[in-house]
Amino acid sequence: MSIKKSVVLFSGNGSNLKNLIEKSEDIKDKLKYVAAFTNNPKAGGINICHSLDLDVCINNDKNIDSELLVFLKKHNPDLIILAGYMKIIPAEIVDEYAGKIINIHPSLLPKYPGLNTHAKVLANKDANHGATVHFVTRDLDQGPIILQGKFNVPVDSNESTLKNLTHQSEYVIYPIAVKWFADGVIKMNDGQLYVNNKAIDSPILLLID
Ligand code: GAR
């Protein structure tokens, strides 16, 4: 089996990117990280790419989608990992790379797609919160869910507490989902998630304490 090529898209600190690469040793014969792409020339993740010796393509928001397409054509990835990439992937790219794009989102989808998820959890006094890895489809934050990490919201939490706990759950679930992809365990066909070739409709949930 040939080694799958993966690229990572980010807009901010890049802590998920760092965590993914640091935890990729056990899949190095199956998947390699070939390059990263950011829409934010000030993103902290750029330094992480440099320190990890990962080629990074830096753009600003002007013509970002055509730059992204050029980047993808150049690298021809088997897997596109969105790790805090805060731009919407245009429908043409989603369609061209269907089943090859995964995203991590800081909520227990379908709850709280979009922004400000931690504030919404606090405003609604939710007992639980977490993160979701899902395949990307044309509908924002609504593609088939691969894996979720769920935790109890501690008493007296604020946004910073929840952001930190959410990141901790992301660091657990994203490497697992990438490993499943590398191993050929998960696939998406026609908007349906398959695990070991079996159609799965209910989210796979990991409880994180
Ligand atoms: C993560 O919490 C990720 O879930 C979120 O951005 C953060 C990036 O952190 N993504 C989204 O909100 C996408 N809708 P990082 O740059 O430290 O990995």
Side-chain angles (χ1 to χ4, degrees):
M1 204 169 71
S2 62
I3 299 183
K4 294 183 170 102
K5 286 191 291 177
S6 162
V7 296
V8 181
L9 279 48
F10 65 93
S11 302
N13 288 333
S15 70
N16 274 288
L17 159 70
K18 180 169 187 279
N19 178 65
L20 282 170
I21 293 182
E22 285 177 353
K23 293 192 177 148
S24 63
E25 181 62 22
D26 60 336
I27 52 168
K28 69 174 191 300
D29 296 335
K30 294 173 182 161
L31 180 139
K32 65 176 174 187
Y33 290 88
V34 294
F37 179 96
T38 184
N39 64 307
N40 176 10
K42 294 188 177 145
I46 294 169
N47 281 337
I48 289 177
C49 291
H50 292 152
S51 69
L52 294 169
D53 224 2
L54 182 69
D55 194 20
V56 56
C57 178
I58 305 164
N59 290 273
N60 53 33
D61 279 352
K62 230 171 129 220
N63 300 326
I64 194 76
D65 293 338
S66 49
E67 294 296 329
L68 176 58
L69 195 53
V70 170
F71 169 84
L72 294 174
K73 295 277 180 208
K74 175 178 169 195
H75 292 288
N76 192 24
D78 300 292
L79 178 63
I80 300 165
I81 299 174
L82 309 186
Y85 187 66
M86 303 309 280
K87 305 294 291 184
I88 292 173
I89 306 289
E92 303 73 48
I93 293 183
V94 170
D95 290 350
E96 185 161 348
Y97 293 90
K100 295 182 173 180
I101 314 176
I102 60 174
N103 180 43
I104 190 139
H105 183 78
S107 79
L108 294 170
L109 291 171
K111 260 193 165 182
Y112 313 135
L115 300 173
N116 304 319
T117 58
H118 310 309
K120 288 170 188 165
V121 165
L122 292 171
N124 291 328
K125 300 187 170 37
D126 288 353
N128 306 110
H129 187 30
T132 301
V133 183
H134 65 94
F135 277 108
V136 171
T137 59
R138 282 183 175 211
D139 302 315
L140 184 68
D141 297 332
Q142 286 177 49
I145 293 172
I146 299 165
L147 181 60
Q148 296 185 302
K150 178 178 175 181
F151 59 85
N152 294 324
V153 173
V155 182
D156 295 333
S157 288
N158 55 34
E159 281 191 49
S160 157
T161 326
L162 293 187
K163 186 176 172 185
N164 185 34
L165 288 170
T166 302
H167 264 118
Q168 297 311 316
S169 62
E170 292 179 344
Y171 300 154
V172 175
I173 62 172
Y174 220 2
I176 295 174
V178 170
K179 180 171 170 18
W180 285 348
F181 189 93
D183 287 338
V185 169
I186 51 167
K187 284 187 186 70
M188 183 183 78
N189 276 333
D190 287 336
Q192 171 71 53
L193 171 71
Y194 292 85
V195 178
N196 287 329
N197 296 318
K198 193 168 169 241
I200 297 286
D201 293 317
S202 50
I204 303 165
L205 198 59
L206 206 66
L207 299 176
I208 295 170
D209 42 24

